[in-house]
Amino acid sequence: MVRLGSVKQAAVEIGVSESAISLHVGHLRKEFADDLFTRTASGLAFTPGGLRLARRATEMLNLQERTIIEVSQANAGHRMLRVAASSLFAEHAAPGLIEMFTGRADDLDIELSVHRPERYAGLLHSRAVDVAIGPTVAGMDDAITCTQFLNYQVFVVAGPGHPLAGLEHTDLHRLRDQMWFLGPSAMSEVGAVRTALRRLNVPEKRQRIFQSHAAAIEETKGNNGVTLALSFTVTRDISQGNLARVGGRALQFGDRWNIFALRSSDPGGVVEEFGRFVRTPRAAQAMLRGPGVKVGRFRPSVHVTLWS
């Protein structure tokens, strides 16, 4: 009903009568002590509780569909690896890594989901994911292993016509006053992007968060602001004059990508296999391809899920 905005259309789609839907809605209203929705001239108007219930229902339906797929694949001899990743890694490094890893085995399926690193411990302990990849996270318990596999750096860049473009020494007060175009990693509390914003003391009112880091970089090319860019993803744009560094090495911030997993109860399984693979030179080369590897080149066995 939330998607269609009509009880009648919902009844037609699922093949039941309107009275049957109304009966079930009545039970839900009584159980939750919430009207869930009201009818208006424009359609259905949902209460906050109604919208929350709808989101949960959607999650459960998606989980049901995913479970059916996983069970079918398991019966067919397929292995499943569920990977959680930070937004920066998922956008720029995961495509090449997953493409190369899945290319080694026809019986392996990977589901990639994007989460804030602060959620990794809960996701691993609840078995929602098998491994998690992202920046350094403090406070992981002893049941979770953490293995570093690749250092990364971000630095400040601007469009070629920006007043700060190419300056080796930049007034920090002037830099803070710029409009900062940022990707979703700016919402996390850990990682090189958050470290940079914290050290530079960039005011929240000067930050604009985009749905992807690539979108933030494209906006920056218009000379209207600055951004924090993953070093290997903008090398070509800098060499071609589409972007320019700001502040040189003084405005360069680093962290490391790690792989997190529960201590193995399945020695030699796919989790350990993946953990060994990410530390190989071939895997590093695949990750450093940057934006040259597109999501469209994923094998069909790779499923990508974005979570807010």
Side-chain angles (χ1 to χ4, degrees):
M1 290 189 297
V2 174
R3 177 168 55 85
L4 299 173
S6 165
V7 174
K8 181 177 181 179
Q9 292 183 39
V12 171
E13 179 161 311
I14 63 177
V16 300
S17 66
E18 290 185 55
S19 60
I21 288 185
S22 297
L23 179 63
H24 286 294
V25 168
H27 289 316
L28 290 172
R29 282 172 166 165
K30 184 177 180 179
E31 181 176 353
F32 292 108
D34 189 310
D35 287 339
L36 302 180
F37 67 88
T38 57
R39 300 174 188 266
T40 70
S42 302
L44 302 181
F46 288 84
T47 67
L51 289 175
R52 184 165 297 182
L53 177 61
R55 285 198 296 268
R56 290 299 186 196
T58 300
E59 289 176 9
M60 288 187 287
L61 288 172
N62 289 340
L63 180 60
Q64 178 185 23
E65 293 176 0
R66 192 173 73 187
T67 302
I68 292 172
I69 293 173
E70 290 180 4
V71 171
S72 298
Q73 290 171 335
N75 290 335
H78 280 258
R79 296 174 295 162
M80 169 66 78
L81 180 67
R82 297 163 300 173
V83 180
S86 64
S87 59
L88 194 64
F89 183 88
E91 184 173 341
H92 293 299
L97 174 67
I98 293 177
E99 182 183 52
M100 182 169 287
F101 186 67
T102 55
R104 303 164 72 239
D106 292 332
D107 66 338
L108 178 64
D109 298 325
I110 290 185
E111 180 182 80
L112 174 67
S113 56
V114 181
H115 299 271
R116 294 186 187 184
E118 300 92 309
R119 298 191 58 207
Y120 286 176
L123 291 167
L124 289 167
H125 280 299
S126 66
R127 310 283 178 163
V129 300
D130 301 305
V131 297
I133 297 177
T136 306
V137 181
M140 288 287 187
D141 58 66
D142 292 340
I144 296 175
T145 62
C146 172
T147 305
Q148 176 186 354
F149 64 89
L150 188 67
N151 294 325
Y152 72 96
Q153 292 182 329
V154 300
F155 42 64
V156 182
V157 296
H162 193 280
L164 300 181
L167 296 182
E168 285 290 330
H169 303 285
T170 304
D171 178 24
L172 293 184
H173 292 289
R174 187 181 179 192
L175 182 62
R176 292 189 195 104
D177 287 338
Q178 302 301 311
M179 185 59 70
W180 288 73
F181 302 131
L182 303 165
S185 58
M187 302 294 291
S188 175
E189 292 300 318
V190 297
V193 170
R194 173 48 57 186
T195 298
L197 294 173
R198 189 179 293 118
R199 290 183 182 175
L200 295 174
N201 197 24
V202 178
E204 286 191 8
K205 65 180 181 180
R206 306 301 298 174
Q207 301 178 30
R208 285 184 58 191
I209 311 299
F210 289 76
Q211 290 184 318
S212 71
H213 301 88
I217 290 173
E218 287 303 311
E219 187 71 17
T220 302
K221 291 178 181 179
N223 304 315
N224 299 315
V226 298
T227 190
L228 288 160
L230 188 59
S231 59
F232 64 82
T233 66
V234 292
T235 301
R236 180 177 299 178
D237 276 322
I238 291 175
S239 65
Q240 294 177 346
N242 300 319
L243 289 169
R245 289 190 63 173
V246 175
R249 292 185 177 275
L251 296 181
Q252 185 169 293
F253 306 88
D255 204 318
R256 65 186 187 188
W257 279 320
N258 310 270
I259 182 167
F260 303 92
L262 292 177
R263 295 195 180 278
S264 180
S265 58
D266 180 26
V270 66
V271 172
E272 288 194 6
E273 181 184 350
F274 185 69
R276 290 192 300 269
F277 178 75
V278 298
R279 301 195 298 273
T280 64
R282 291 181 63 215
Q285 292 175 1
M287 288 182 275
L288 294 177
R289 293 176 196 169
V293 180
K294 303 298 183 183
V295 173
R297 291 187 59 193
F298 278 166
R299 288 157 48 95
S301 58
V302 178
H303 313 281
V304 181
T305 306
L306 302 180
W307 296 89
S308 60

PDB file of all heavy atoms in Angstrom, residues 175-205:
ATOM      1  N   LEU A 175      40.597  27.976   4.048  1.00  0.00           N
ATOM      2  CA  LEU A 175      40.204  26.652   3.575  1.00  0.00           C
ATOM      3  C   LEU A 175      38.909  26.197   4.251  1.00  0.00           C
ATOM      4  O   LEU A 175      38.015  25.657   3.598  1.00  0.00           O
ATOM      5  CB  LEU A 175      41.326  25.658   3.849  1.00  0.00           C
ATOM      6  CG  LEU A 175      41.097  24.216   3.373  1.00  0.00           C
ATOM      7  CD1 LEU A 175      40.929  24.175   1.861  1.00  0.00           C
ATOM      8  CD2 LEU A 175      42.255  23.319   3.816  1.00  0.00           C
ATOM      9  N   ARG A 176      38.785  26.435   5.550  1.00  0.00           N
ATOM     10  CA  ARG A 176      37.574  26.033   6.267  1.00  0.00           C
ATOM     11  C   ARG A 176      36.338  26.733   5.724  1.00  0.00           C
ATOM     12  O   ARG A 176      35.238  26.186   5.770  1.00  0.00           O
ATOM     13  CB  ARG A 176      37.716  26.352   7.754  1.00  0.00           C
ATOM     14  CG  ARG A 176      38.743  25.520   8.485  1.00  0.00           C
ATOM     15  CD  ARG A 176      38.669  25.742   9.982  1.00  0.00           C
ATOM     16  NE  ARG A 176      39.859  25.217  10.637  1.00  0.00           N
ATOM     17  CZ  ARG A 176      40.858  25.966  11.086  1.00  0.00           C
ATOM     18  NH1 ARG A 176      40.813  27.287  10.971  1.00  0.00           N
ATOM     19  NH2 ARG A 176      41.897  25.404  11.663  1.00  0.00           N
ATOM     20  N   ASP A 177      36.517  27.946   5.222  1.00  0.00           N
ATOM     21  CA  ASP A 177      35.376  28.721   4.744  1.00  0.00           C
ATOM     22  C   ASP A 177      34.895  28.301   3.362  1.00  0.00           C
ATOM     23  O   ASP A 177      33.889  28.811   2.868  1.00  0.00           O
ATOM     24  CB  ASP A 177      35.724  30.216   4.720  1.00  0.00           C
ATOM     25  CG  ASP A 177      35.795  30.809   6.122  1.00  0.00           C
ATOM     26  OD1 ASP A 177      35.186  30.213   7.037  1.00  0.00           O
ATOM     27  OD2 ASP A 177      36.460  31.846   6.294  1.00  0.00           O
ATOM     28  N   GLN A 178      35.625  27.382   2.722  1.00  0.00           N
ATOM     29  CA  GLN A 178      35.200  26.895   1.412  1.00  0.00           C
ATOM     30  C   GLN A 178      33.990  25.980   1.572  1.00  0.00           C
ATOM     31  O   GLN A 178      33.745  25.424   2.643  1.00  0.00           O
ATOM     32  CB  GLN A 178      36.340  26.146   0.721  1.00  0.00           C
ATOM     33  CG  GLN A 178      37.604  26.954   0.529  1.00  0.00           C
ATOM     34  CD  GLN A 178      37.356  28.201  -0.300  1.00  0.00           C
ATOM     35  OE1 GLN A 178      36.748  28.149  -1.377  1.00  0.00           O
ATOM     36  NE2 GLN A 178      37.829  29.338   0.199  1.00  0.00           N
ATOM     37  N   MET A 179      33.253  25.796   0.482  1.00  0.00           N
ATOM     38  CA  MET A 179      32.206  24.777   0.484  1.00  0.00           C
ATOM     39  C   MET A 179      32.869  23.423   0.233  1.00  0.00           C
ATOM     40  O   MET A 179      33.626  23.271  -0.733  1.00  0.00           O
ATOM     41  CB  MET A 179      31.167  25.065  -0.594  1.00  0.00           C
ATOM     42  CG  MET A 179      29.998  24.105  -0.570  1.00  0.00           C
ATOM     43  SD  MET A 179      29.096  24.108   0.995  1.00  0.00           S
ATOM     44  CE  MET A 179      28.318  25.722   0.924  1.00  0.00           C
ATOM     45  N   TRP A 180      32.605  22.456   1.106  1.00  0.00           N
ATOM     46  CA  TRP A 180      33.212  21.136   1.002  1.00  0.00           C
ATOM     47  C   TRP A 180      32.187  20.157   0.428  1.00  0.00           C
ATOM     48  O   TRP A 180      31.132  19.933   1.013  1.00  0.00           O
ATOM     49  CB  TRP A 180      33.680  20.653   2.379  1.00  0.00           C
ATOM     50  CG  TRP A 180      34.890  21.395   2.873  1.00  0.00           C
ATOM     51  CD1 TRP A 180      34.940  22.686   3.328  1.00  0.00           C
ATOM     52  CD2 TRP A 180      36.227  20.889   2.949  1.00  0.00           C
ATOM     53  NE1 TRP A 180      36.221  23.023   3.680  1.00  0.00           N
ATOM     54  CE2 TRP A 180      37.036  21.942   3.457  1.00  0.00           C
ATOM     55  CE3 TRP A 180      36.818  19.663   2.655  1.00  0.00           C
ATOM     56  CZ2 TRP A 180      38.402  21.788   3.667  1.00  0.00           C
ATOM     57  CZ3 TRP A 180      38.184  19.511   2.864  1.00  0.00           C
ATOM     58  CH2 TRP A 180      38.962  20.559   3.356  1.00  0.00           C
ATOM     59  N   PHE A 181      32.517  19.590  -0.726  1.00  0.00           N
ATOM     60  CA  PHE A 181      31.670  18.584  -1.365  1.00  0.00           C
ATOM     61  C   PHE A 181      32.221  17.207  -0.980  1.00  0.00           C
ATOM     62  O   PHE A 181      33.362  16.885  -1.315  1.00  0.00           O
ATOM     63  CB  PHE A 181      31.677  18.757  -2.876  1.00  0.00           C
ATOM     64  CG  PHE A 181      31.219  20.121  -3.320  1.00  0.00           C
ATOM     65  CD1 PHE A 181      31.957  20.861  -4.239  1.00  0.00           C
ATOM     66  CD2 PHE A 181      30.053  20.681  -2.820  1.00  0.00           C
ATOM     67  CE1 PHE A 181      31.536  22.108  -4.652  1.00  0.00           C
ATOM     68  CE2 PHE A 181      29.628  21.933  -3.224  1.00  0.00           C
ATOM     69  CZ  PHE A 181      30.361  22.654  -4.143  1.00  0.00           C
ATOM     70  N   LEU A 182      31.416  16.421  -0.302  1.00  0.00           N
ATOM     71  CA  LEU A 182      31.918  15.191   0.301  1.00  0.00           C
ATOM     72  C   LEU A 182      31.032  13.995  -0.048  1.00  0.00           C
ATOM     73  O   LEU A 182      29.831  14.142  -0.279  1.00  0.00           O
ATOM     74  CB  LEU A 182      31.974  15.340   1.823  1.00  0.00           C
ATOM     75  CG  LEU A 182      32.831  16.511   2.335  1.00  0.00           C
ATOM     76  CD1 LEU A 182      32.524  16.795   3.799  1.00  0.00           C
ATOM     77  CD2 LEU A 182      34.309  16.217   2.133  1.00  0.00           C
ATOM     78  N   GLY A 183      31.641  12.812  -0.045  1.00  0.00           N
ATOM     79  CA  GLY A 183      30.899  11.577  -0.243  1.00  0.00           C
ATOM     80  C   GLY A 183      30.343  11.065   1.073  1.00  0.00           C
ATOM     81  O   GLY A 183      30.552  11.662   2.138  1.00  0.00           O
ATOM     82  N   PRO A 184      29.648   9.935   1.059  1.00  0.00           N
ATOM     83  CA  PRO A 184      28.996   9.408   2.263  1.00  0.00           C
ATOM     84  C   PRO A 184      29.960   9.028   3.378  1.00  0.00           C
ATOM     85  O   PRO A 184      29.541   8.905   4.532  1.00  0.00           O
ATOM     86  CB  PRO A 184      28.223   8.199   1.744  1.00  0.00           C
ATOM     87  CG  PRO A 184      28.819   7.876   0.426  1.00  0.00           C
ATOM     88  CD  PRO A 184      29.322   9.149  -0.137  1.00  0.00           C
ATOM     89  N   SER A 185      31.248   8.848   3.091  1.00  0.00           N
ATOM     90  CA  SER A 185      32.203   8.505   4.153  1.00  0.00           C
ATOM     91  C   SER A 185      32.335   9.621   5.176  1.00  0.00           C
ATOM     92  O   SER A 185      32.792   9.388   6.305  1.00  0.00           O
ATOM     93  CB  SER A 185      33.578   8.178   3.561  1.00  0.00           C
ATOM     94  OG  SER A 185      34.059   9.266   2.805  1.00  0.00           O
ATOM     95  N   ALA A 186      31.918  10.836   4.819  1.00  0.00           N
ATOM     96  CA  ALA A 186      31.971  11.948   5.768  1.00  0.00           C
ATOM     97  C   ALA A 186      30.990  11.753   6.918  1.00  0.00           C
ATOM     98  O   ALA A 186      31.115  12.402   7.962  1.00  0.00           O
ATOM     99  CB  ALA A 186      31.672  13.261   5.050  1.00  0.00           C
ATOM    100  N   MET A 187      30.020  10.854   6.743  1.00  0.00           N
ATOM    101  CA  MET A 187      29.028  10.599   7.791  1.00  0.00           C
ATOM    102  C   MET A 187      29.538   9.624   8.847  1.00  0.00           C
ATOM    103  O   MET A 187      28.935   9.479   9.904  1.00  0.00           O
ATOM    104  CB  MET A 187      27.750  10.036   7.160  1.00  0.00           C
ATOM    105  CG  MET A 187      27.131  10.941   6.108  1.00  0.00           C
ATOM    106  SD  MET A 187      26.511  12.470   6.813  1.00  0.00           S
ATOM    107  CE  MET A 187      25.131  11.849   7.765  1.00  0.00           C
ATOM    108  N   SER A 188      30.644   8.951   8.554  1.00  0.00           N
ATOM    109  CA  SER A 188      31.187   7.985   9.498  1.00  0.00           C
ATOM    110  C   SER A 188      32.018   8.697  10.559  1.00  0.00           C
ATOM    111  O   SER A 188      32.463   9.830  10.371  1.00  0.00           O
ATOM    112  CB  SER A 188      32.053   6.967   8.750  1.00  0.00           C
ATOM    113  OG  SER A 188      32.676   6.080   9.657  1.00  0.00           O
ATOM    114  N   GLU A 189      32.243   8.014  11.675  1.00  0.00           N
ATOM    115  CA  GLU A 189      33.058   8.578  12.747  1.00  0.00           C
ATOM    116  C   GLU A 189      34.506   8.116  12.684  1.00  0.00           C
ATOM    117  O   GLU A 189      35.317   8.525  13.513  1.00  0.00           O
ATOM    118  CB  GLU A 189      32.459   8.192  14.110  1.00  0.00           C
ATOM    119  CG  GLU A 189      31.121   8.855  14.404  1.00  0.00           C
ATOM    120  CD  GLU A 189      31.208  10.373  14.405  1.00  0.00           C
ATOM    121  OE1 GLU A 189      32.194  10.919  14.951  1.00  0.00           O
ATOM    122  OE2 GLU A 189      30.292  11.013  13.846  1.00  0.00           O
ATOM    123  N   VAL A 190      34.842   7.266  11.716  1.00  0.00           N
ATOM    124  CA  VAL A 190      36.206   6.762  11.594  1.00  0.00           C
ATOM    125  C   VAL A 190      36.650   6.873  10.140  1.00  0.00           C
ATOM    126  O   VAL A 190      35.856   7.106   9.238  1.00  0.00           O
ATOM    127  CB  VAL A 190      36.307   5.293  12.067  1.00  0.00           C
ATOM    128  CG1 VAL A 190      35.976   5.177  13.540  1.00  0.00           C
ATOM    129  CG2 VAL A 190      35.390   4.390  11.247  1.00  0.00           C
ATOM    130  N   GLY A 191      37.955   6.687   9.927  1.00  0.00           N
ATOM    131  CA  GLY A 191      38.485   6.739   8.570  1.00  0.00           C
ATOM    132  C   GLY A 191      39.215   8.033   8.281  1.00  0.00           C
ATOM    133  O   GLY A 191      39.118   9.022   9.030  1.00  0.00           O
ATOM    134  N   ALA A 192      39.954   8.048   7.170  1.00  0.00           N
ATOM    135  CA  ALA A 192      40.786   9.194   6.831  1.00  0.00           C
ATOM    136  C   ALA A 192      39.971  10.451   6.544  1.00  0.00           C
ATOM    137  O   ALA A 192      40.401  11.560   6.855  1.00  0.00           O
ATOM    138  CB  ALA A 192      41.668   8.849   5.619  1.00  0.00           C
ATOM    139  N   VAL A 193      38.797  10.301   5.937  1.00  0.00           N
ATOM    140  CA  VAL A 193      37.971  11.469   5.627  1.00  0.00           C
ATOM    141  C   VAL A 193      37.523  12.139   6.914  1.00  0.00           C
ATOM    142  O   VAL A 193      37.614  13.369   7.066  1.00  0.00           O
ATOM    143  CB  VAL A 193      36.757  11.076   4.766  1.00  0.00           C
ATOM    144  CG1 VAL A 193      35.777  12.233   4.645  1.00  0.00           C
ATOM    145  CG2 VAL A 193      37.222  10.635   3.382  1.00  0.00           C
ATOM    146  N   ARG A 194      37.024  11.348   7.870  1.00  0.00           N
ATOM    147  CA  ARG A 194      36.599  11.922   9.150  1.00  0.00           C
ATOM    148  C   ARG A 194      37.777  12.531   9.894  1.00  0.00           C
ATOM    149  O   ARG A 194      37.665  13.605  10.501  1.00  0.00           O
ATOM    150  CB  ARG A 194      35.921  10.841   9.987  1.00  0.00           C
ATOM    151  CG  ARG A 194      35.572  11.250  11.412  1.00  0.00           C
ATOM    152  CD  ARG A 194      34.872  12.571  11.506  1.00  0.00           C
ATOM    153  NE  ARG A 194      33.641  12.628  10.721  1.00  0.00           N
ATOM    154  CZ  ARG A 194      32.924  13.727  10.574  1.00  0.00           C
ATOM    155  NH1 ARG A 194      33.330  14.864  11.116  1.00  0.00           N
ATOM    156  NH2 ARG A 194      31.819  13.708   9.860  1.00  0.00           N
ATOM    157  N   THR A 195      38.948  11.888   9.850  1.00  0.00           N
ATOM    158  CA  THR A 195      40.146  12.437  10.487  1.00  0.00           C
ATOM    159  C   THR A 195      40.492  13.799   9.913  1.00  0.00           C
ATOM    160  O   THR A 195      40.793  14.746  10.645  1.00  0.00           O
ATOM    161  CB  THR A 195      41.336  11.481  10.310  1.00  0.00           C
ATOM    162  OG1 THR A 195      41.048  10.240  10.958  1.00  0.00           O
ATOM    163  CG2 THR A 195      42.611  12.072  10.899  1.00  0.00           C
ATOM    164  N   ALA A 196      40.437  13.926   8.591  1.00  0.00           N
ATOM    165  CA  ALA A 196      40.756  15.192   7.935  1.00  0.00           C
ATOM    166  C   ALA A 196      39.778  16.290   8.339  1.00  0.00           C
ATOM    167  O   ALA A 196      40.176  17.415   8.678  1.00  0.00           O
ATOM    168  CB  ALA A 196      40.753  15.004   6.419  1.00  0.00           C
ATOM    169  N   LEU A 197      38.489  15.990   8.302  1.00  0.00           N
ATOM    170  CA  LEU A 197      37.487  16.989   8.649  1.00  0.00           C
ATOM    171  C   LEU A 197      37.632  17.434  10.103  1.00  0.00           C
ATOM    172  O   LEU A 197      37.446  18.620  10.428  1.00  0.00           O
ATOM    173  CB  LEU A 197      36.086  16.433   8.415  1.00  0.00           C
ATOM    174  CG  LEU A 197      35.715  16.129   6.961  1.00  0.00           C
ATOM    175  CD1 LEU A 197      34.369  15.416   6.900  1.00  0.00           C
ATOM    176  CD2 LEU A 197      35.680  17.410   6.127  1.00  0.00           C
ATOM    177  N   ARG A 198      37.978  16.475  10.966  1.00  0.00           N
ATOM    178  CA  ARG A 198      38.143  16.799  12.382  1.00  0.00           C
ATOM    179  C   ARG A 198      39.385  17.661  12.606  1.00  0.00           C
ATOM    180  O   ARG A 198      39.349  18.657  13.330  1.00  0.00           O
ATOM    181  CB  ARG A 198      38.233  15.502  13.186  1.00  0.00           C
ATOM    182  CG  ARG A 198      38.183  15.702  14.692  1.00  0.00           C
ATOM    183  CD  ARG A 198      38.259  14.377  15.423  1.00  0.00           C
ATOM    184  NE  ARG A 198      37.073  13.562  15.181  1.00  0.00           N
ATOM    185  CZ  ARG A 198      37.075  12.380  14.602  1.00  0.00           C
ATOM    186  NH1 ARG A 198      38.212  11.866  14.144  1.00  0.00           N
ATOM    187  NH2 ARG A 198      35.965  11.695  14.448  1.00  0.00           N
ATOM    188  N   ARG A 199      40.495  17.293  11.982  1.00  0.00           N
ATOM    189  CA  ARG A 199      41.739  18.054  12.171  1.00  0.00           C
ATOM    190  C   ARG A 199      41.659  19.447  11.553  1.00  0.00           C
ATOM    191  O   ARG A 199      42.215  20.409  12.093  1.00  0.00           O
ATOM    192  CB  ARG A 199      42.917  17.283  11.586  1.00  0.00           C
ATOM    193  CG  ARG A 199      43.275  16.034  12.373  1.00  0.00           C
ATOM    194  CD  ARG A 199      44.493  15.341  11.790  1.00  0.00           C
ATOM    195  NE  ARG A 199      44.807  14.121  12.527  1.00  0.00           N
ATOM    196  CZ  ARG A 199      45.770  13.267  12.170  1.00  0.00           C
ATOM    197  NH1 ARG A 199      46.504  13.506  11.079  1.00  0.00           N
ATOM    198  NH2 ARG A 199      45.985  12.193  12.883  1.00  0.00           N
ATOM    199  N   LEU A 200      40.989  19.551  10.428  1.00  0.00           N
ATOM    200  CA  LEU A 200      40.840  20.858   9.779  1.00  0.00           C
ATOM    201  C   LEU A 200      39.711  21.675  10.401  1.00  0.00           C
ATOM    202  O   LEU A 200      39.566  22.859  10.091  1.00  0.00           O
ATOM    203  CB  LEU A 200      40.580  20.667   8.286  1.00  0.00           C
ATOM    204  CG  LEU A 200      41.727  20.025   7.490  1.00  0.00           C
ATOM    205  CD1 LEU A 200      41.293  19.744   6.064  1.00  0.00           C
ATOM    206  CD2 LEU A 200      42.953  20.930   7.506  1.00  0.00           C
ATOM    207  N   ASN A 201      38.916  21.012  11.255  1.00  0.00           N
ATOM    208  CA  ASN A 201      37.816  21.682  11.948  1.00  0.00           C
ATOM    209  C   ASN A 201      36.838  22.319  10.963  1.00  0.00           C
ATOM    210  O   ASN A 201      36.428  23.477  11.119  1.00  0.00           O
ATOM    211  CB  ASN A 201      38.362  22.741  12.910  1.00  0.00           C
ATOM    212  CG  ASN A 201      37.333  23.166  13.950  1.00  0.00           C
ATOM    213  OD1 ASN A 201      36.399  22.411  14.267  1.00  0.00           O
ATOM    214  ND2 ASN A 201      37.491  24.375  14.460  1.00  0.00           N
ATOM    215  N   VAL A 202      36.455  21.553   9.947  1.00  0.00           N
ATOM    216  CA  VAL A 202      35.530  22.051   8.931  1.00  0.00           C
ATOM    217  C   VAL A 202      34.124  22.132   9.523  1.00  0.00           C
ATOM    218  O   VAL A 202      33.592  21.116   9.998  1.00  0.00           O
ATOM    219  CB  VAL A 202      35.524  21.136   7.693  1.00  0.00           C
ATOM    220  CG1 VAL A 202      34.516  21.646   6.662  1.00  0.00           C
ATOM    221  CG2 VAL A 202      36.923  21.051   7.094  1.00  0.00           C
ATOM    222  N   PRO A 203      33.480  23.290   9.518  1.00  0.00           N
ATOM    223  CA  PRO A 203      32.130  23.418  10.095  1.00  0.00           C
ATOM    224  C   PRO A 203      31.119  22.577   9.314  1.00  0.00           C
ATOM    225  O   PRO A 203      31.210  22.448   8.091  1.00  0.00           O
ATOM    226  CB  PRO A 203      31.815  24.918   9.958  1.00  0.00           C
ATOM    227  CG  PRO A 203      33.126  25.579   9.701  1.00  0.00           C
ATOM    228  CD  PRO A 203      33.979  24.576   8.995  1.00  0.00           C
ATOM    229  N   GLU A 204      30.158  22.007  10.019  1.00  0.00           N
ATOM    230  CA  GLU A 204      29.135  21.198   9.352  1.00  0.00           C
ATOM    231  C   GLU A 204      28.354  22.012   8.333  1.00  0.00           C
ATOM    232  O   GLU A 204      27.916  21.484   7.305  1.00  0.00           O
ATOM    233  CB  GLU A 204      28.181  20.595  10.388  1.00  0.00           C
ATOM    234  CG  GLU A 204      28.786  19.450  11.181  1.00  0.00           C
ATOM    235  CD  GLU A 204      27.739  18.727  11.999  1.00  0.00           C
ATOM    236  OE1 GLU A 204      26.527  19.020  11.833  1.00  0.00           O
ATOM    237  OE2 GLU A 204      28.123  17.862  12.803  1.00  0.00           O
ATOM    238  N   LYS A 205      28.160  23.297   8.602  1.00  0.00           N
ATOM    239  CA  LYS A 205      27.388  24.132   7.683  1.00  0.00           C
ATOM    240  C   LYS A 205      28.100  24.337   6.355  1.00  0.00           C
ATOM    241  O   LYS A 205      27.478  24.770   5.371  1.00  0.00           O
ATOM    242  CB  LYS A 205      27.089  25.487   8.322  1.00  0.00           C
ATOM    243  CG  LYS A 205      28.320  26.353   8.585  1.00  0.00           C
ATOM    244  CD  LYS A 205      27.934  27.674   9.216  1.00  0.00           C
ATOM    245  CE  LYS A 205      29.160  28.555   9.458  1.00  0.00           C
ATOM    246  NZ  LYS A 205      28.790  29.845  10.083  1.00  0.00           N
TER     247      LYS A 205
END
